[in-house]
Amino acid sequence: MNKGSGVCRRMSRRTVLGATVYAGAGMALFAPVGFRVRAKQDSFTIAFIQGVIGDNFYITMDCGAQAQAAALGNITVDTQGPERFDQTLQTPILNAVVQSGPDAIMMAPNDRQGMIAPIQAAIDAGIPVLCVDTTIDSDIQLGDVATDNVEGGRLAARGLAEEIGGAGKVFVVNTIPGISTTDMREQGFAEAIANEFPDIEYLGQEYSNNDANVAAQLTSAMLQANPDLSGIFGTNLFSAQGAAAALRQAGLQGQVKMVGFDAGPTQVQDLRSEVVDLLIAQHPGDIGEIAIQLLHQFLTTGEPLDPKEFVTGATIVTRDNIEDPEVARYLYVADCAAYELAGAEPMAAPEMEATPMAEATPA
Ligand code: T6T
């Protein structure tokens, strides 16, 4: 999934929702080696550790998780996260969560290498960990639920190429090296430009430390150094917000084309006001819903996930389609007041029956 396939197979809803609570003896038969064998439980606590707090993407994911937990009726989701995307801040949060002994953890690891050992420690303590959104360079986790980020990067490249008429100079505002998702988006973007657009010159990427102010500063510098720049790709919400702010400040909106990953409220405003030309909205609510379904399945059956990797879709948002309810439903929220359970279903990578990215084609 995260490794690049844009196609996947649809699992039957019954597969994940039809689980029943097992008696203790049954659990002993099914529990994978290393996980605590639970006595029959009527209810479960799942800790959700976000990549960073205050990010509309993770807020929307939490809404999906909470709505799914409420629908299942016997799950409590406790959500928290670090103030910055930083493994040194996320690790103590994970350690404290492990001490509190939840039944399972769903988390967006801040670093693909640096979070392996802390996650291993949680697993060693008998707590299953499901990765959501970001992942680690390992297969110790129970599974992964995420957007196909390499394919998302390719979509961004194709969208930007179309905006600039297939020729010109482009550059990427990225976040922090080691965040799996944004690494993969840049990888997909660079691949597509190299393979499909011979008249586009890719000037490379710069890192914003996931800070919109830094993204704005480095974009301003890039615009000054390259007055003939044609297009920019911001690989996530904060990178895209900052790059858009720099474009607006330089009065270059419309002249320099811009594609942003994610669909936070400020990004949507930038799209409407013609500073940004195209957004790639992930489906974080679906990620949250599916994560809770999968953990519920695991906790009630003890059976390891098979397959382990699940993809969710992405939707291309433009000024032309943003009023379409099928597009607007994927814009990120600031709180869960209006969130309604979407009924998202797990779709496993890599076998193929459906193409979530193809479904993302603009209306
Ligand atoms: O783009 C999302 C998420 O997918 C990525 O891993 C980190 O940044 C966001 O949370 C947006 O800010």
Side-chain angles (χ1 to χ4, degrees):
M1 157 206 41
N2 267 334
K3 320 286 190 271
S5 167
V7 286
C8 62
R9 164 168 72 81
R10 190 175 287 270
M11 280 182 80
S12 99
R13 190 166 178 72
R14 203 179 45 228
T15 312
V16 288
L17 291 181
T20 49
V21 177
Y22 267 63
M27 290 302 293
L29 288 174
F30 284 95
V33 178
F35 289 114
R36 239 187 349 237
V37 175
R38 290 172 180 78
K40 176 176 175 175
Q41 280 182 233
D42 293 329
S43 60
F44 303 95
T45 300
I46 294 173
F48 174 24
I49 305 177
Q50 299 170 312
V52 63
I53 55 169
D55 175 335
N56 299 99
F57 172 83
Y58 292 115
I59 291 170
T60 309
M61 191 187 297
D62 188 42
C63 298
Q66 300 288 354
Q68 186 65 66
L72 287 165
N74 61 347
I75 292 181
T76 303
V77 180
D78 287 337
T79 304
Q80 56 195 303
E83 292 195 356
R84 291 192 312 277
F85 234 95
D86 181 339
Q87 60 177 297
T88 68
L89 300 181
Q90 195 180 43
T91 298
I93 292 172
L94 174 57
N95 293 344
V97 162
V98 170
Q99 287 301 314
S100 73
D103 295 298
I105 296 171
M106 57 183 270
M107 69 178 294
N110 275 185
D111 188 275
R112 57 200 299 176
Q113 282 291 327
M115 291 309 294
I116 296 174
I119 288 175
Q120 182 66 64
I123 294 166
D124 290 346
I127 303 172
V129 178
L130 178 71
C131 291
V132 286
D133 177 46
T134 51
T135 191
I136 47 177
D137 293 341
S138 173
D139 62 359
I140 56 173
Q141 66 272 34
L142 189 65
D144 288 274
V145 188
T147 308
D148 183 338
N149 286 289
V150 176
E151 184 62 16
R154 293 189 194 113
L155 278 182
R158 291 174 193 139
L160 190 56
E162 192 174 331
E163 291 292 337
I164 66 174
K169 293 181 180 173
V170 298
F171 109 108
V172 168
V173 184
N174 209 339
T175 56
I176 301 170
I179 299 179
S180 61
T181 50
T182 47
D183 284 354
M184 289 171 190
R185 289 170 204 164
E186 192 277 336
Q187 178 196 330
F189 181 89
E191 272 174 23
I193 294 291
N195 296 337
E196 300 171 28
F197 302 104
D199 296 329
I200 296 181
E201 184 184 350
Y202 177 35
L203 299 180
Q205 62 180 325
E206 290 196 30
Y207 291 103
S208 66
N209 201 29
N210 206 32
D211 179 330
N213 293 325
V214 177
Q217 285 159 17
L218 64 87
T219 302
S220 297
M222 201 66 186
L223 289 168
Q224 278 179 7
N226 297 276
D228 56 346
L229 191 75
S230 301
I232 299 172
F233 169 41
T235 64
N236 85 334
L237 186 147
F238 298 105
S239 305
Q241 264 179 217
L247 274 184
R248 195 184 308 108
Q249 202 190 1
L252 289 172
Q253 62 267 42
Q255 200 172 317
V256 176
K257 301 294 182 180
M258 161 105 206
V259 171
F261 222 87
D262 293 306
T266 304
Q267 292 177 281
V268 169
Q269 186 55 39
D270 289 336
L271 178 72
R272 289 188 194 279
S273 61
E274 304 189 16
V275 182
V276 168
D277 300 284
L278 189 148
L279 295 175
I280 298 173
Q282 302 185 76
H283 300 173
D286 290 2
I287 296 176
E289 290 187 18
I290 290 166
I292 295 298
Q293 290 173 33
L294 295 173
L295 285 172
H296 181 256
Q297 173 192 331
F298 176 74
L299 291 169
T300 51
T301 67
E303 293 180 42
L305 303 185
D306 180 21
K308 286 180 61 165
E309 295 192 341
F310 297 85
V311 282
T312 47
T315 296
I316 293 177
V317 187
T318 64
R319 280 182 288 283
D320 289 339
N321 71 9
I322 193 166
E323 304 306 337
D324 179 344
E326 278 308 304
V327 173
R329 66 191 279 246
Y330 291 116
L331 305 180
Y332 304 174
V333 298
D335 61 53
C336 299
Y339 187 90
E340 285 177 20
L341 191 71
E345 296 180 7
M347 292 199 288
E351 287 123 326
M352 351 200 137
E353 267 176 31
T355 55
M357 287 298 169
E359 287 165 8
T361 308

